[in-house]
Amino acid sequence: MTRFYDKYVLVTGGAGFIGSNFLEYFVRKYPNYHFTCIDKLNYASQCSTASLSVLKGYPNFTFIKLDLSESFSELRQLLVEDFPINQITDIVNFAAESSVDKSFSDPLYFTRNNILVTQNLLECMRLLKQQNSQISVRLLHISTDEVYGDSDILNDEQGRLLPTNPYAATKASIDLIIHSYQCSYDLSVTIIRPNNIYGPHQYPDKIVPVTIERLTKGIKIPIHGIGSNKRRYLHVQDFLDALELIWQNDESINEIYNVGSDEEISNLSLVKLICHLYDRKLTKEQINDKVQFIPDRNYNDMKYSTTCGKIKSLGWKPRIKLVDGLSSLLVE
Ligand SMILES: NC(=O)c1ccc[n+]([C@@H]2O[C@H](COP(=O)([O-])OP(=O)(O)OC[C@H]3O[C@@H](n4cnc5c(N)ncnc54)[C@H](O)[C@@H]3O)[C@@H](O)[C@H]2O)c1
Ligand SMILES: C[C@H]1O[C@H](OP(=O)(O)OP(=O)(O)OC[C@H]2O[C@@H](n3ccc(=O)[nH]c3=O)[C@H](O)[C@@H]2O)[C@H](O)[C@@H](O)C1=O
């Protein structure tokens, strides 16, 4: 086996918001690693086509367009049969349908996609281990704090999983399936549960990019219900720093990490803050006039309360304040 690189990494869902930021950062930072991105290119990927086309010029980057929920045989060929050639030992899985709103209208599609994408990866890891127990492949799986559901009680990583929407239920389900593969097949998987993440290349169906897009187009900004639901927001770079720490630390194998900020804000306050940062001359009345209250979600988690002591014990803490992260996003 000729090894041109020190590590061969598969990044699934790497054409999405977080995945594309991950690749932009790590492909350049680790020229001694080879990164293969697999993505089906859904609606969310269109925000990162420019950055991915730049990455295609890098020798340590390969892109494969593939629907991981339907192409098990191709994935098995890449990871198992061709292991001697591709030598992929690290998998970072971002791939999922990630929109809570969309999951209300097509829950079965979310179940099929989000479960099969990840279980197909687990199956390849299982078959590879069965074929050669000396090969150790590790999966870093990106879950979400939504698996804990609506909660006033502080949840650490042992918190009960009580998802309230179809998207979150698929994420909680795959976390449980991962646990079964860790127990039954001794696979090495780390689960990471971030809170809301914002930053460049995020498709405008999430509140931060929706607000920015509507502001620039002079269209009213839709607020679900009365806007009192709260979320915590972490800049994508802070998340990547946490992910890098976890990835570099072999002690993190078979651990779960909540990764989040302490900056909790209601939806209405967030939208008003973005309007203020967009144009500090706007009066309160002018900002109020930019908002349109629309019917709420079928169920809208009021807040999430996760503790992040574990990731902080690795020396991580958020560096980018929400005001600063939003301001730089508005400039971009
Ligand atoms: N954005 C957030 O605030 C946030 C917070 C917590 C967790 N997460 C999780 O992080 C991950 C990435 O989120 P994101 O915001 O970047 O999502 P995104 O929707 O921007 O990107 C997801 C990517 O996965 C790809 N994908 C989905 N199904 C696929 C399949 N069957 N085969 C191949 N590719 C497929 C899509 O084409 C897309 O490019 C997701 O697993 C999501 O659940 C996101
Ligand atoms: C951790 C998860 O974060 C994201 O899911 P979430 O539903 O919290 O993000 P959204 O940006 O879709 O919604 C946040 C909050 O704002 C409300 N809202 C959204 C869009 C809009 O146009 N108007 C709104 O009022 C919405 O009701 C929410 O209360 C992420 O998408 C997910 O993948 C996560 O895992």
Side-chain angles (χ1 to χ4, degrees):
M1 281 194 287
T2 318
R3 286 184 71 86
F4 297 104
Y5 294 93
D6 296 336
K7 199 180 277 283
Y8 293 80
V9 187
L10 173 64
V11 182
T12 49
F17 158 50
I18 307 175
S20 59
N21 278 279
F22 172 94
L23 286 167
E24 274 186 319
Y25 181 61
F26 285 94
V27 166
R28 294 181 174 92
K29 185 169 183 182
Y30 293 92
N32 56 325
Y33 289 5
H34 185 276
F35 296 86
T36 299
C37 170
I38 292 181
D39 200 297
K40 70 177 177 181
L41 299 181
N42 73 354
Y43 72 94
S45 322
Q46 58 190 293
C47 293
S48 58
T49 39
S51 72
L52 281 188
S53 54
V54 169
L55 288 176
K56 283 174 184 170
Y58 282 72
N60 63 327
F61 177 77
T62 303
F63 178 77
I64 301 171
K65 183 178 186 298
L66 196 67
D67 184 334
L68 287 161
S69 68
E70 296 174 350
S71 323
F72 177 66
S73 51
E74 290 92 327
L75 188 62
R76 190 182 54 211
Q77 185 75 44
L78 178 88
L79 291 176
V80 185
E81 280 122 34
D82 291 349
F83 177 82
I85 303 160
N86 301 320
Q87 305 171 63
I88 292 171
T89 57
D90 293 61
I91 305 170
V92 189
N93 181 34
F94 297 99
E97 289 297 336
S98 67
S99 165
V100 173
D101 286 319
K102 288 178 170 55
S103 79
F104 288 119
S105 47
D106 198 348
L108 201 52
Y109 175 65
F110 272 69
T111 299
R112 196 175 295 120
N113 187 80
N114 292 357
I115 303 287
L116 282 177
V117 159
T118 310
Q119 192 157 3
N120 282 342
L121 290 170
L122 294 170
E123 276 295 281
C124 290
M125 292 171 70
R126 178 180 70 84
L127 293 171
L128 189 57
K129 192 172 183 93
Q130 190 177 295
Q131 198 175 301
N132 181 341
S133 61
Q134 300 310 308
I135 298 172
S136 95
V137 175
R138 74 168 297 191
L139 169 65
L140 290 145
H141 174 71
I142 315 302
S143 180
T144 172
D145 67 350
E146 294 216 7
V147 299
Y148 299 113
D150 216 345
S151 173
D152 261 328
I153 311 144
L154 279 180
N155 278 304
D156 65 11
E157 289 80 357
Q158 303 312 314
R160 87 272 182 270
L161 305 187
L162 215 52
T164 63
N165 62 67
Y167 155 77
T170 69
K171 299 296 285 186
S173 305
I174 202 62
D175 282 6
L176 293 171
I177 291 171
I178 284 170
H179 184 258
S180 74
Y181 274 69
Q182 288 168 310
C183 298
S184 304
Y185 310 112
D186 190 26
L187 297 191
S188 300
V189 187
T190 303
I191 294 175
I192 299 157
R193 294 174 176 158
N195 62 206
N196 293 50
I197 296 173
Y198 71 98
H201 317 321
Q202 189 170 32
Y203 185 79
D205 61 352
K206 313 289 171 58
I207 191 164
V208 170
V210 160
T211 302
I212 295 173
E213 183 199 53
R214 298 295 178 97
L215 266 174
T216 46
K217 291 182 177 174
I219 307 171
K220 286 203 181 265
I221 301 154
I223 292 282
H224 297 157
I226 59 169
S228 58
N229 306 70
K230 293 178 179 173
R231 296 290 187 272
R232 293 178 190 191
Y233 293 87
L234 186 68
H235 192 276
V236 66
Q237 189 54 52
D238 276 333
F239 176 67
L240 296 182
D241 293 343
L243 189 48
E244 185 174 25
L245 261 180
I246 293 167
W247 189 12
Q248 282 170 346
N249 181 346
D250 284 348
E251 305 283 302
S252 70
I253 292 176
N254 294 333
E255 293 290 341
I256 299 173
Y257 292 89
N258 293 333
V259 177
S261 82
D262 300 320
E263 293 190 273
E264 183 176 77
I265 186 170
S266 75
N267 299 337
L268 185 55
S269 303
L270 174 71
V271 167
K272 287 182 175 178
L273 173 62
I274 297 172
C275 292
H276 171 70
L277 295 172
Y278 176 74
D279 180 352
R280 291 175 188 268
K281 295 189 298 298
L282 288 173
T283 64
K284 281 190 179 161
E285 293 69 30
Q286 287 170 320
I287 288 176
N288 288 337
D289 193 42
K290 290 185 177 296
V291 165
Q292 178 188 15
F293 293 96
I294 62 171
D296 205 348
R297 291 175 165 175
N298 301 42
Y299 188 93
N300 198 343
D301 288 334
M302 191 44 75
K303 63 181 287 188
Y304 302 101
S305 311
T306 52
T307 59
C308 302
K310 263 178 90 171
I311 183 65
K312 288 179 178 173
S313 69
L314 298 185
W316 176 85
K317 63 178 179 181
R319 290 179 299 107
I320 302 168
K321 292 206 167 309
L322 182 59
V323 171
D324 299 333
L326 291 172
S327 301
S328 61
L329 202 50
L330 283 162
V331 167
E332 283 160 25

